[in-house]
Amino acid sequence: MANSDPNFGCLFNSVQREYPDPVEAEVKGNLPGWLLGSLVRIGPGLFEVGNTAYQHWFDGLALMHKFAFHNGKVTYQNRFLRSNAYKKAMKYNKIILSEFGTVGIPDPCKNVLERFATHFLPLNVTDNNLINVYQLGDEVYTATETYTPRKINLQDLSTEDQTIDLLQTFGMMTASVHAQTDRDGCSYNMGTSYLTGCYYNVIKFSPKSHIDSALSEDSDSTSCSTVSPAMSAKLLCSIRARNPLKPSYFHSFGMTDNYIVFSEQTLHINVARLAASQMLGKPVSSCFEFDREGRTLFHLVEKQTGEKLATRYEAGPLFGMHVINSYEEDDHVVFDICSYDDDELLKKFYLDYLRHGDQDGKRHFPITEVRRYVLPLRIDENTPVGTNLVSLSYTSASAMLKRDGTVDLTYEVASDIGIDMPCINHSKNNGRPYTYAYGTSGKHKGDFMNTIVKCNMRTKACKSWHKPNHYPSEPIFVEAPDAVDEDDGVLLSTVISSETQRAFLLVLDAKTLEEVARAEIPEKMTCPITFHGGFFH
């Protein structure tokens, strides 16, 4: 089947107006009284600037959305991120900075030499952080896959001047949009440095409490109140890309109690083509190459020491943007990821296809599946060759040691329904064994994500929420304050109807996936499909 919704294209219209002041939403149902805090989400909001237009869904100027919960009421507000990409676009009424699928126009303020240099140096890289919102210590940052996460004010969604320049500090041109936060408050991120031979860098950020403690011992140091967690960033580990001219693309990574888990996949970025893309008028998306015959490498980095395990773990070709969770159990690392057979998904997200479909007006989207890889940790000279080393009773994933010392991994499809945009009970189970994953899926083969799914990762059984011609964004799990079970809580997702072009916040019981409540935003306002976000107490 294929998506044949005649109104589907309206989901990718531009938002014409901001609403920076909170407006009360109409609540229907029984909103839990304990639900206090703010759901903040981000995604593309503006696809046209003057006579220029963005070409890809990943390109639109970033629009932030906030749903605030207090005393059974919900307010909504939105605001465009004041990135350099946004400010320059508004100043010149045209697209200046290049995006994933769109080539920008040289900045009119640059002289001829600067414009020429832009073709070869990272001077035209976007800071249009439309993909995610995450927390570092007490600060909240927006992020895309470039090197400048930007701080926002959580109260009014205003954009602050503070950025983390990973290029200047660590030589990183790219970064994962999904940072990982540990139970001790430390956060981790990864990015790729192209400047010194092409390395994947793992960065560690210390929490404010660690910084304050260190500064209190040094009376000459900067006042604790002025120190940002971003200033604590340190290089934990550098992993050399196996092919420096074609490093792996990655969107997220895994973390367990003791390890950072990185899958070096077979979707590559052609560095030579990337270097020439601006001069040739080609977008970044044209530099991607998927190797159907290639091998995926899994790297384990010890969080305490920064040392990479010497064992070489290999699997077949893989493209997946979102790691669901990873954890350690009985001397194994379990790694669950939303996967695709190739990178065709990225090509389906050009706006012309999303708005108009193919010649028949239909749209066909790739099928995702949940793949589980299991990496045995204890590999030594006594480990048998050619036998399955995975002893976990609940998985059919296998790992076999080859004579050359490589451990060959075969994945298990770990859910009856494939999902993407996943979430779990993060506060309780991130980096640890878990049972339930939530995400979005197509109701029928080839559909755009139009269903919210709950997966039991031990039994593969699934539950789902679906309403025709309604399109949910990534669900966010919020745990109930008196939670006993892993799934005691609610799921929050913004949903837009293609029939009415109206949006609402959906609240589902995380156990049953039954609707608990919804908060409908006023008709004059719109909340388009967003990518990622978080719930902040």
Side-chain angles (χ1 to χ4, degrees):
M1 296 184 66
N3 187 301
S4 57
D5 180 355
N7 302 311
F8 182 77
C10 75
L11 304 182
F12 307 96
N13 291 338
S14 291
V15 174
Q16 301 299 331
R17 180 181 171 186
E18 291 179 305
Y19 289 89
D21 298 318
V23 176
E24 189 167 338
E26 181 182 0
V27 176
K28 297 180 179 179
N30 299 306
L31 196 67
W34 54 261
L35 190 58
L36 302 173
S38 298
L39 174 70
V40 179
R41 300 196 54 78
I42 199 165
L46 187 63
F47 295 108
E48 299 83 26
V49 183
N51 294 323
T52 59
Y54 293 104
Q55 303 300 308
H56 198 276
W57 191 26
F58 293 172
D59 296 349
L61 291 172
L63 180 66
M64 300 173 285
H65 310 265
K66 177 182 175 182
F67 292 87
F69 303 84
H70 184 68
N71 292 334
K73 295 183 178 180
V74 180
T75 60
Y76 170 76
Q77 62 197 109
N78 66 27
R79 206 165 195 171
F80 282 102
L81 181 73
R82 263 51 177 187
S83 60
N84 289 330
Y86 177 90
K87 289 187 287 188
K88 288 186 176 184
M90 294 302 104
K91 179 178 179 179
Y92 298 112
N93 198 33
K94 63 180 68 174
I95 297 168
I96 300 298
L97 296 187
S98 295
E99 303 290 341
F100 177 76
T102 305
V103 178
I105 298 169
D107 190 336
C109 281
K110 296 184 183 296
N111 60 38
V112 174
L113 181 59
E114 288 173 325
R115 293 187 196 182
F116 180 77
T118 297
H119 293 315
F120 302 98
L121 299 175
L123 304 177
N124 201 34
V125 176
T126 186
D127 63 344
N128 177 32
N129 295 349
L130 77 161
I131 303 296
N132 200 11
V133 179
Y134 58 72
Q135 194 161 347
L136 290 177
D138 297 325
E139 300 175 346
V140 178
Y141 288 82
T142 60
T144 188
E145 293 180 329
T146 58
Y147 54 81
T148 52
R150 182 178 289 275
K151 184 181 175 184
I152 61 168
N153 184 313
L154 194 60
Q155 298 303 313
D156 62 3
L157 297 184
S158 59
T159 306
E160 302 201 4
D161 292 335
Q162 182 175 316
T163 60
I164 305 173
D165 192 334
L166 296 172
L167 175 64
Q168 182 177 13
T169 308
F170 301 106
M172 291 160 51
M173 286 286 292
T174 67
S176 167
V177 299
H178 295 277
Q180 289 276 7
T181 300
D182 215 340
R183 284 166 176 75
D184 61 1
C186 292
S187 296
Y188 299 85
N189 206 346
M190 289 191 63
T192 306
S193 172
Y194 298 92
L195 303 181
T196 56
C198 204
Y199 287 84
Y200 310 112
N201 290 339
V202 182
I203 308 302
K204 180 178 181 179
F205 301 88
S206 297
K208 187 175 186 298
S209 59
H210 290 197
I211 301 171
D212 289 350
S213 176
L215 289 176
S216 65
E217 299 174 3
D218 184 356
S219 58
D220 295 329
S221 296
T222 305
S223 169
C224 296
S225 62
T226 66
V227 174
S228 161
M231 296 173 62
S232 72
K234 293 182 179 179
L235 179 65
L236 179 68
C237 178
S238 285
I239 303 168
R240 184 174 176 83
R242 63 183 145 179
N243 184 346
L245 298 179
K246 293 185 178 181
S248 173
Y249 165 81
F250 61 96
H251 185 82
S252 62
F253 60 96
M255 181 186 72
T256 72
D257 279 341
N258 295 295
Y259 301 101
I260 297 296
V261 190
F262 170 56
S263 57
E264 190 176 4
Q265 303 178 19
T266 58
L267 178 60
H268 303 138
I269 301 173
N270 187 314
V271 174
R273 193 178 298 171
L274 180 66
S277 60
Q278 188 74 21
M279 181 176 61
L280 298 175
K282 300 289 186 180
V284 172
S285 58
S286 69
C287 306
F288 281 50
E289 299 176 354
F290 187 77
D291 184 358
R292 298 178 185 275
E293 306 300 324
R295 302 287 288 170
T296 298
L297 299 184
F298 288 85
H299 305 278
L300 297 180
V301 176
E302 294 182 346
K303 291 192 296 188
Q304 293 301 315
T305 65
E307 295 295 321
K308 187 174 82 72
L309 265 62
T311 303
R312 184 180 177 93
Y313 300 95
E314 286 192 359
L318 170 65
F319 166 59
M321 298 183 75
H322 299 115
V323 176
I324 302 172
N325 195 18
S326 51
Y327 59 90
E328 297 165 53
E329 186 170 5
D330 296 337
D331 287 335
H332 302 78
V333 166
V334 178
F335 181 84
D336 296 338
I337 185 170
C338 305
S339 304
Y340 297 86
D341 289 335
D342 54 32
D343 63 333
E344 185 67 18
L345 180 73
L346 301 179
K347 301 171 185 176
K348 296 292 187 180
F349 286 164
Y350 279 95
L351 289 168
D352 182 66
Y353 186 80
L354 292 172
R355 289 169 174 165
H356 307 295
D358 57 22
Q359 292 180 347
D360 296 326
K362 296 182 179 180
R363 303 161 187 85
H364 305 257
F365 295 97
I367 307 301
T368 180
E369 63 182 11
V370 174
R371 295 182 184 176
R372 168 164 287 172
Y373 296 86
V374 180
L375 289 63
L377 289 171
R378 303 297 173 232
I379 306 294
D380 56 33
E381 65 274 8
N382 297 316
T383 301
V385 173
T387 62
N388 184 15
L389 304 176
V390 177
S391 58
L392 300 177
S393 61
Y394 56 83
T395 179
S396 61
S398 64
M400 294 187 182
L401 179 64
K402 299 195 297 186
R403 295 192 180 280
D404 63 1
T406 299
V407 177
D408 189 51
L409 307 177
T410 301
Y411 67 83
E412 172 195 24
V413 178
S415 171
D416 287 342
I417 299 177
I419 62 170
D420 209 333
M421 310 300 279
C423 76
I424 61 171
N425 183 336
H426 192 276
S427 61
K428 180 176 291 185
N429 299 99
N430 187 46
R432 293 185 175 176
Y434 72 120
T435 302
Y436 301 110
Y438 308 87
T440 58
S441 182
K443 178 68 172 178
H444 303 290
K445 184 177 180 180
D447 277 358
F448 188 81
M449 302 291 183
N450 56 14
T451 304
I452 296 175
V453 177
K454 176 183 182 180
C455 305
N456 186 316
M457 301 296 289
R458 298 291 174 129
T459 68
K460 299 188 180 182
C462 298
K463 296 178 180 180
S464 62
W465 176 94
H466 171 80
K467 188 173 182 181
N469 299 324
H470 283 65
Y471 300 89
S473 294
E474 165 201 52
I476 297 293
F477 180 91
V478 183
E479 187 178 51
D482 56 351
V484 175
D485 297 328
E486 179 184 329
D487 55 353
D488 283 338
V490 296
L491 293 178
L492 305 178
S493 176
T494 55
V495 180
I496 185 167
S497 165
S498 63
E499 296 174 337
T500 65
Q501 300 187 36
R502 294 283 304 278
F504 60 91
L505 177 75
L506 177 66
V507 185
L508 298 178
D509 184 316
K511 275 188 177 293
T512 65
L513 251 56
E514 294 178 356
E515 182 173 334
V516 173
R518 64 175 61 187
E520 297 182 344
I521 65 176
E523 187 172 1
K524 62 182 178 179
M525 306 168 73
T526 182
C527 178
I529 297 175
T530 53
F531 292 135
H532 298 294
F535 190 83
F536 303 93
H537 293 281

